[in-house]
Amino acid sequence: MDVSQYLEIFIDETAEHIQSLSDNIMELEREPDNEDTINEIFRAAHSLKGMAGTMGFKRMQHLTHDMENVFQEVRSGNVKVSSEMIDILFQCLDAIEGYLDAVKTTSDEGTEDNEAIIAALNRFLAVEENKEQKEDVAAKDHAKTGKVYEKKYLDIAFSENEKKALREAEEAGQNIYGLTVYVQKECLLKAARAFLVFKAVEELGQILVYSPSSQDIEDERFDQEFSFYLASESDYDAVRRAVVHVSEIETVVGEQLKYGAIEEHVRKTEAAAPIAQSEAPAAVSPKSEPATRDAKQPAAKGKTANKPVTNRTVRVDIEKLDALMNQVSELIIAKNSLVSISAADNGGSQNQTFHEQIEYLERITTNLHESVMKVRMVPIESVVNKFPRMIRDLARKLNKKMELYMTGEDTELDRTVVDQIGDPLQHLLRNSADHGLESAQLRAKRGKPETGTIRLNAFQEGNNVIIEVSDDGNGIDTESVKAKAIDRGLVSPEQAEKLSQKEIIDFLFMPSFSMAKKITDVSGRGVGLDVVKSNIETLGGDVEVKSKLGEGTTFIVRLPLTLAIIQALMVEIRDEKYAIALGSIQNIEDIPVKDIKYVQAEEVIHLRGMVIPLIRLDQILDIEPKEEEPESLTVVIVKKGDKFAGLVVDNLMGQQEIVIKSLGKYINNNNKLISGATILGDGEVALILDVNTLM
Amino acid sequence: MAEQLEVIRNERKQYIVVKIGNEQYGIDISYVDNIVRMQKITRVPKAQSYFKGVINLRGEVVPVMSLRTKMGLEADVFTNASRIIILKLEQQGLFGVIVDEVKEVVTLGAAEIEKSGQSVNGSGESFINGIGKNGEELISLLDINTIVDDRENV
């Protein structure tokens, strides 16, 4: 059986179920008696089992089946949730994830049987569960809902062709069966089920009429049932058996029909009432279906109403989006060159419309860029969701009490960034759990609550997204970091005395500089913060640390919202042009030279109650100094977090949308002053200043 | 020597002959992506001294290096004949080298190439992996991989 076309759906949905299981099991640990949670877990395990079965992944099916059994018992109150059970359940999840990873890479589940886990699961079962019991429950469920299985196949409106086919089949001496198949409510790959049903019955005969159309069934545009007419030489029981044999089929209703009787029925419904007519096509057209169904079964309303939503999304390969983004970049470069031609022609004879059209084009390209960017944005949720589980495991492993609080999981970032941010964040969290938080005794002695707190806050700030990882633990002991740095020969004791707090903390980001007193398998092997830092820097971001000894540490990760195109202010220093990201610019000031003050021999300006250090870009960028100092300076005030600095430039050239290009691997850019280059409208290359490293 | 063996195997290779100062250099044509006229080069602060900066090559930002600075010769003087040869390395992508003049393309066989690992400019570094003889003229064959090798910063 070819199910490969469902593989992608299977992978995505399995991942979703694993996530929901993980969330719910955590919830269960907190409230072992919450029935909703138990039911939710049962449903997810059941769906996983069903999906694995459909795809032919026997081992995965086996494992999820046993998980489901355990929950069956929990649900019926025979077994109590215990902390060992939670542990085993998490192991199950890991095992399922292992299967899923194998499926992702090889399209096969692999050969790991996970017998140990299965055995552990079965130990929880007070009574060996058997199939009948389960079906019993299933039957009870149905009895509760009081569902009536209608013979929907009678409502089909036939086309002339279909009538002809039915007539001919009967004339050829075949039996005609009308069947309506009801799929289980929890069934996820309904189209796959339908496919299996059709495949099974087609071995016995030929399907003449589908309702909804075969295309709609294939696209899963049907609710819980579908109908078809089959011409076959076998008897009804054989057909019925073939259908019921497919798993996750709730029931099937049907009978053998004579063509005459079918036609009679159709005529009757058509003639009897015009209202009934609206019902007949309803079965065919999925669009009007919800309306009629609503009237009949108000209970099914929620389910039918949100059905079409799933069809409005499209899965797109990220590479296609990359290609699209590149083309938008090219378009913006082309547009910029048109704009510069238009600007150069300012006083010329070109007519008004030309300039208007250029402005129009500018607006369109900006909107286009924004749309493409939005398409690429995904919430960081997919990454941070796994953290609560990780912290729980760490808490047990480290034997510390801790709680993770997360906010801003819905903050969106470029897909490429989200894909790569997981590892660094995970590392920072481990760091907080292992090094940050103190042991319970020490916490008690310091008068802190016994349970340590780790927070992960994400939010947007201008063109950046900030993710803060903080703990209320020990904080960084700068004295011992200093001692270690001296010990390592990184600084002399005299130099060390002069180092600022920040400079000392920066040592932690140096390769193989680990502060862990003993090496645990959680952290402390010296591959750590430096990797975090370089990972984040490759994404165009940076990390900052704030720490207070005894009170806690906060790591602030700053990431660019997008990687490709930004709004920038173009400035001129002598004859060189540089771009500064607009997102980090606070405002622009004209400062008379006489207003410059000195603090510790550094130039500062006093602006609206703030003391802001001046940065002479010409000195930093090795540009020849001006022969004479002008009377006033143009200063671009930039902002990084709550810090400000004033960049001295010669000229402002205006705001522009720029496409970020990499400088490549050849040029040394060790101090990272330049975050990239861009191509201006006239074809010239301008460099982009990285404000974050300037400060 | 791997290069040497390769030359023998491939028998004849084509080289672009360029002039830098008074010497003629040959660049293996299989590395050459393009030859462009001199254009405005944007300086990159804090870069290695032999990198003059970056240029815009059909929408791509390409770094350009001065072979003169790299080899310790006097600074470039740009004339009408100056060209930037755009080279492509599999791993690291495009980069350009500035030459005084592009002369011709020659085909050299293994017999016409004399292997040389010796330093020619006396600085102890060698960017040359052989000397080609084209009739009466001598052509120093540039070893592209050592040109981009970043020994200055180690």
Side-chain angles (χ1 to χ4, degrees):
Chain A
M1 186 186 78
D2 181 29
V3 286
S4 57
Q5 53 174 322
Y6 300 112
L7 199 60
E8 233 170 87
I9 307 178
F10 171 78
I11 291 172
D12 281 1
E13 296 201 339
T14 307
E16 272 168 34
H17 282 300
I18 293 177
Q19 186 55 52
S20 117
L21 271 174
S22 167
D23 292 348
N24 282 311
I25 296 175
M26 297 275 294
E27 186 70 38
L28 189 67
E29 191 175 27
R30 235 165 284 145
E31 298 175 56
D33 298 323
N34 190 327
E35 261 181 49
D36 286 348
T37 319
I38 295 170
N39 284 333
E40 196 53 51
I41 295 173
F42 179 78
R43 266 197 292 278
H46 181 79
S47 313
L48 270 179
K49 180 186 89 170
M51 284 176 358
T54 317
M55 302 299 290
F57 298 138
K58 292 274 182 318
R59 294 183 180 85
M60 188 162 162
Q61 191 186 7
H62 190 180
L63 181 63
T64 43
H65 174 79
D66 286 1
M67 257 176 101
E68 188 193 344
N69 284 352
V70 170
F71 275 98
Q72 180 68 53
E73 291 300 303
V74 173
R75 200 159 72 154
S76 52
N78 294 342
V79 176
K80 278 268 162 263
V81 177
S82 64
S83 114
E84 299 93 78
M85 184 193 278
I86 303 273
D87 283 343
I88 297 291
L89 287 172
F90 275 128
Q91 281 177 26
C92 287
L93 280 192
D94 291 340
I96 296 170
E97 247 180 312
Y99 286 138
L100 185 63
D101 284 344
V103 169
K104 264 188 218 160
T105 46
T106 63
S107 301
D108 191 74
E109 59 175 338
T111 52
E112 178 61 53
D113 280 325
N114 288 308
E115 275 167 11
I117 298 176
I118 290 175
L121 272 178
N122 284 324
R123 252 175 267 139
F124 290 112
L125 293 180
V127 201
E128 175 66 24
E129 227 214 332
N130 53 43
K131 228 177 162 202
E132 281 79 18
Q133 219 178 328
K134 209 177 67 203
E135 272 174 5
D136 225 30
V137 176
K140 242 188 280 162
D141 274 359
H142 297 144
K144 249 186 276 167
T145 51
K147 201 155 143 193
V148 189
Y149 299 111
E150 292 171 62
K151 293 180 175 179
K152 289 251 177 186
Y153 55 89
L154 289 173
D155 298 334
I156 297 177
F158 297 106
S159 71
E160 282 308 316
N161 274 344
E162 288 167 341
K163 280 184 194 166
K164 193 165 155 243
L166 286 169
R167 205 162 49 226
E168 278 173 7
E170 192 175 54
E171 278 162 12
Q174 289 190 307
N175 301 327
I176 294 180
Y177 302 108
L179 293 145
T180 297
V181 178
Y182 283 83
V183 182
Q184 279 177 18
K185 210 157 59 191
E186 295 87 6
C187 174
L188 280 153
L189 299 167
K190 289 190 294 185
R193 293 296 167 208
F195 172 80
L196 290 176
V197 168
F198 292 150
K199 199 155 160 99
V201 297
E202 270 176 348
E203 280 172 13
L204 303 170
Q206 196 191 355
I207 298 175
L208 300 174
V209 182
Y210 295 92
S211 167
S213 71
S214 58
Q215 186 60 47
D216 282 348
I217 294 178
E218 205 170 293
D219 295 345
E220 231 171 74
R221 279 200 293 270
F222 63 99
D223 199 38
Q224 245 174 278
E225 90 294 321
F226 55 91
S227 310
F228 59 92
Y229 278 84
L230 178 79
S232 164
E233 284 165 5
S234 318
D235 58 13
Y236 177 70
D237 271 350
V239 175
R240 195 189 141 80
R241 262 201 310 278
V243 176
V244 178
H245 192 69
V246 176
S247 56
E248 284 198 288
I249 296 298
E250 195 164 290
T251 192
V252 54
V253 288
E255 62 196 310
Q256 187 179 352
L257 291 163
K258 290 271 171 262
Y259 175 69
I262 301 169
E263 218 175 26
E264 178 100 342
H265 181 83
V266 172
R267 246 201 318 275
K268 225 172 11 193
T269 38
E270 272 172 4
I275 309 139
Q277 214 175 12
S278 76
E279 213 177 276
V284 184
S285 109
K287 213 173 140 203
S288 58
E289 192 183 24
T292 31
R293 282 189 60 86
D294 275 1
K296 272 191 277 181
Q297 295 182 318
K301 194 178 168 187
K303 204 167 154 68
T304 22
N306 60 28
K307 193 64 205 152
V309 177
T310 49
N311 293 333
R312 283 210 208 117
T313 57
V314 178
R315 264 173 230 275
V316 183
D317 194 332
I318 188 80
E319 272 170 30
K320 285 186 189 158
L321 287 183
D322 284 345
L324 185 60
M325 196 59 159
N326 283 342
Q327 310 225 333
V328 172
S329 304
E330 296 295 314
L331 181 66
I332 285 176
I333 293 175
K335 176 219 62 178
N336 282 347
S337 73
L338 268 181
V339 171
S340 78
I341 293 171
S342 152
D345 190 55
N346 222 351
S349 55
Q350 292 278 9
N351 58 38
Q352 188 73 21
T353 4
F354 178 67
H355 295 292
E356 275 170 17
Q357 290 305 317
I358 294 267
E359 272 173 34
Y360 183 44
L361 179 68
E362 269 200 283
R363 273 208 306 282
I364 295 174
T365 49
T366 308
N367 289 342
L368 179 63
H369 164 228
E370 269 172 23
S371 310
V372 175
M373 213 177 86
K374 273 194 200 123
V375 170
R376 296 175 54 92
M377 300 283 260
V378 289
I380 58 166
E381 210 174 351
S382 56
V383 172
V384 301
N385 266 348
K386 61 181 184 199
F387 292 149
R389 161 79 198 281
M390 189 189 85
I391 291 295
R392 177 195 172 274
D393 288 355
L394 280 177
R396 304 201 125 223
K397 206 182 244 171
L398 298 167
N399 202 14
K400 290 181 188 173
K401 281 194 178 163
M402 56 184 89
E403 197 69 56
L404 174 68
Y405 300 95
M406 302 203 291
T407 58
E409 297 103 312
D410 55 348
T411 311
E412 291 191 327
L413 267 172
D414 191 283
R415 169 73 196 253
T416 342
V417 181
V418 170
D419 283 349
Q420 290 172 50
I421 195 64
D423 284 349
L425 286 183
Q426 187 172 342
H427 202 102
L428 291 178
L429 286 171
R430 280 168 177 276
N431 202 66
S432 288
D434 194 16
H435 304 313
L437 295 178
E438 315 94 324
S439 63
Q441 299 93 307
L442 194 57
R443 288 186 72 87
K445 209 161 40 174
R446 289 185 177 167
K448 292 183 190 178
E450 193 187 356
T451 307
T453 306
I454 300 177
R455 281 174 207 283
L456 190 145
N457 298 332
F459 54 93
Q460 193 176 335
E461 184 191 89
N463 258 343
N464 290 314
V465 163
I466 317 279
I467 304 177
E468 291 178 346
V469 176
S470 57
D471 62 68
D472 66 345
N474 194 33
I476 296 171
D477 183 356
T478 45
E479 285 307 312
S480 78
V481 175
K482 214 194 286 181
K484 177 120 182 189
I486 297 168
D487 196 41
R488 287 288 200 89
L490 295 169
V491 282
S492 67
E494 300 82 55
Q495 281 174 315
E497 283 314 306
K498 290 194 202 111
L499 291 175
S500 69
Q501 175 100 355
K502 187 184 170 300
E503 283 167 316
I504 295 168
I505 289 175
D506 278 347
F507 282 124
L508 293 175
F509 290 106
M510 290 183 62
S512 66
F513 191 98
S514 174
M515 284 306 289
K517 297 205 176 58
K518 57 175 192 283
I519 290 170
T520 63
D521 58 347
V522 178
S523 51
R525 276 156 302 181
V527 276
L529 287 177
D530 63 312
V531 180
V532 171
K533 191 178 164 92
S534 69
N535 277 354
I536 289 169
E537 277 171 356
T538 19
L539 295 172
D542 69 350
V543 204
E544 209 184 315
V545 190
K546 280 185 189 155
S547 180
K548 204 157 185 204
L549 190 58
E551 284 178 24
T553 311
T554 305
F555 286 89
I556 303 161
V557 176
R558 195 182 310 269
L559 294 161
L561 210 50
T562 160
L563 297 173
I565 301 168
I566 56 165
Q567 288 284 343
L569 176 75
M570 300 302 301
V571 300
E572 227 174 0
I573 306 158
R574 300 318 103 85
D575 58 346
E576 295 188 1
K577 292 174 185 136
Y578 290 90
I580 303 171
L582 214 56
S584 48
I585 295 178
Q586 187 71 10
N587 55 330
I588 293 161
E589 302 281 340
D590 256 330
I591 307 286
V593 173
K594 59 177 171 36
D595 284 3
I596 298 177
K597 311 242 172 5
Y598 290 87
V599 170
Q600 290 183 319
E602 303 279 345
E603 287 182 311
V604 298
I605 48 174
H606 199 238
L607 199 71
R608 289 184 283 275
M610 279 189 302
V611 176
I612 298 173
L614 270 192
I615 298 176
R616 298 266 182 174
L617 282 182
D618 53 355
Q619 287 169 16
I620 287 180
L621 300 171
D622 303 328
I623 302 171
E624 284 186 18
K626 262 190 182 169
E627 278 163 19
E628 54 185 279
E629 179 102 330
E631 276 180 22
S632 80
L633 301 174
T634 309
V635 178
V636 180
I637 311 285
V638 290
K639 180 177 184 248
K640 173 191 180 187
D642 47 9
K643 278 193 292 185
F644 292 88
L647 308 180
V648 181
V649 302
D650 289 354
N651 261 320
L652 301 174
M653 294 164 62
Q655 176 187 339
Q656 199 178 333
E657 199 164 46
I658 59 167
V659 178
I660 303 174
K661 305 254 178 189
S662 150
L663 280 181
K665 291 178 186 159
Y666 296 105
I667 288 195
N668 234 343
N669 192 16
N670 286 337
N671 46 17
K672 303 202 169 66
L673 275 180
I674 307 296
S675 60
T678 189
I679 292 167
L680 301 179
D682 56 5
E684 210 181 300
V685 181
L687 302 178
I688 305 165
L689 283 178
D690 188 347
V691 172
N692 288 336
T693 52
L694 276 175
M695 298 169 71
Chain B
M1 278 263 83
E3 284 99 337
Q4 194 72 8
L5 288 173
E6 202 180 314
V7 172
I8 293 166
R9 247 199 324 276
N10 295 345
E11 291 275 295
R12 301 177 76 75
K13 270 191 170 181
Q14 284 190 307
Y15 291 87
I16 289 185
V17 179
V18 299
K19 233 179 141 176
I20 300 169
N22 296 321
E23 269 191 72
Q24 298 202 83
Y25 291 89
I27 299 172
D28 185 342
I29 210 163
S30 62
Y31 288 109
V32 178
D33 177 84
N34 203 348
I35 299 175
V36 295
R37 282 180 173 276
M38 208 55 216
Q39 51 174 289
K40 184 167 175 1
I41 299 177
T42 304
R43 185 185 70 95
V44 179
K46 313 283 186 198
Q48 301 97 314
S49 59
Y50 54 83
F51 269 114
K52 297 299 272 186
V54 289
I55 58 164
N56 165 14
L57 180 76
R58 297 180 307 255
E60 285 304 308
V61 174
V62 177
V64 174
M65 70 159 67
S66 159
L67 278 181
R68 280 171 170 267
T69 319
K70 181 100 191 180
M71 292 191 286
L73 304 176
E74 69 267 42
D76 297 80
V77 180
F78 299 142
T79 67
N80 240 346
S82 298
R83 293 287 183 277
I84 301 173
I85 306 204
I86 308 293
L87 303 171
K88 184 170 188 154
L89 283 183
E90 224 30 75
Q91 298 289 312
Q92 296 136 294
L94 295 174
F95 72 102
V97 293
I98 301 169
V99 298
D100 292 353
E101 193 183 337
V102 175
K103 294 190 75 174
E104 57 185 327
V105 176
V106 296
T107 309
L108 298 176
E112 291 143 319
I113 294 174
E114 209 161 279
K115 190 199 141 211
S116 142
Q118 287 298 304
S119 166
V120 178
N121 60 0
S123 70
E125 284 184 278
S126 172
F127 308 115
I128 291 166
N129 55 13
I131 309 271
K133 279 168 285 187
N134 183 29
E136 286 301 292
E137 290 179 17
L138 293 183
I139 303 162
S140 312
L141 304 180
L142 286 172
D143 183 348
I144 305 302
N145 287 301
T146 56
I147 290 179
V148 291
D149 206 11
D150 216 351
R151 243 171 297 182
E152 195 183 76
N153 294 282
V154 178

